[in-house]
Amino acid sequence: MLVPAISVAIALKAVNFDPNSPDAALPVLIVRTGVERLSAPIIFDSIPTSARLNECADFAGTLVAVETRLETAITFLIGLEQREAQAVAPLPDPVLVTRDLACKEVDDRFVWIARTLGWDAETKGPLYGPSPTWVKPKEYKSWPVSNQ
């Protein structure tokens, strides 16, 4: 999420701005807030120098704000959002990843324990999560979880 890391403001200054111009030509400021919890620092290198109407650097010479047209700003922000989406790939669904554990026998100890307790793929089917067949019926009178 880019919200805490970057801010965009419309640059409504009287110099050289025509209110009748298309929205894509609207001048905007893209400002780094300094609160960057992203995969990499925000740099404005992808905005061509020719597309920068103005820029501001900190004492170290790092760009912290760029004034550009709305169209260029949108392209920059979409690229930044795509970079972050690729850097923070979603984790696989643990249920889907482990669903056929018995078939792959990924963890031999688990499969061995299940077989020792009486599990047999031929008669009981594939091993999926909790099952009422593994519960002591005298100790647990009801089973709240469905096996399907």
Side-chain angles (χ1 to χ4, degrees):
M1 185 162 78
L2 301 177
V3 173
I6 201 158
S7 181
V8 179
I10 299 172
L12 292 179
K13 50 188 180 178
V15 182
N16 298 330
F17 177 66
D18 178 12
N20 297 320
S21 66
D23 291 340
L26 186 69
V28 297
L29 294 169
I30 307 172
V31 183
R32 291 175 52 193
T33 64
V35 182
E36 293 183 21
R37 295 182 198 104
L38 304 175
S39 65
I42 296 172
I43 53 174
F44 295 108
D45 292 350
S46 62
I47 299 175
T49 307
S50 60
R52 298 177 192 173
L53 303 175
N54 206 345
E55 55 190 39
C56 178
D58 63 8
F59 65 92
T62 305
L63 283 179
V64 293
V66 170
E67 181 180 355
T68 189
R69 301 288 178 206
L70 180 61
E71 183 177 27
T72 304
I74 289 171
T75 303
F76 171 76
L77 293 171
I78 288 172
L80 195 57
E81 188 69 39
Q82 288 173 345
R83 179 193 82 177
E84 290 305 304
Q86 290 173 355
V88 186
L91 296 174
D93 183 353
V95 173
L96 295 177
V97 172
T98 59
R99 177 155 283 162
D100 54 351
L101 175 66
C103 296
K104 292 180 183 176
E105 293 190 7
V106 175
D107 186 349
D108 291 334
R109 292 172 298 157
F110 178 73
V111 174
W112 179 81
I113 290 169
R115 286 185 182 144
T116 302
L117 293 172
W119 171 72
D120 178 36
E122 299 280 329
T123 59
K124 297 186 190 256
L127 181 61
Y128 292 117
S131 167
T133 60
W134 302 106
V135 176
K136 296 178 183 175
K138 291 180 184 175
E139 243 179 271
Y140 302 96
K141 301 291 182 200
S142 66
W143 184 252
V145 179
S146 170
N147 197 22
Q148 297 299 329

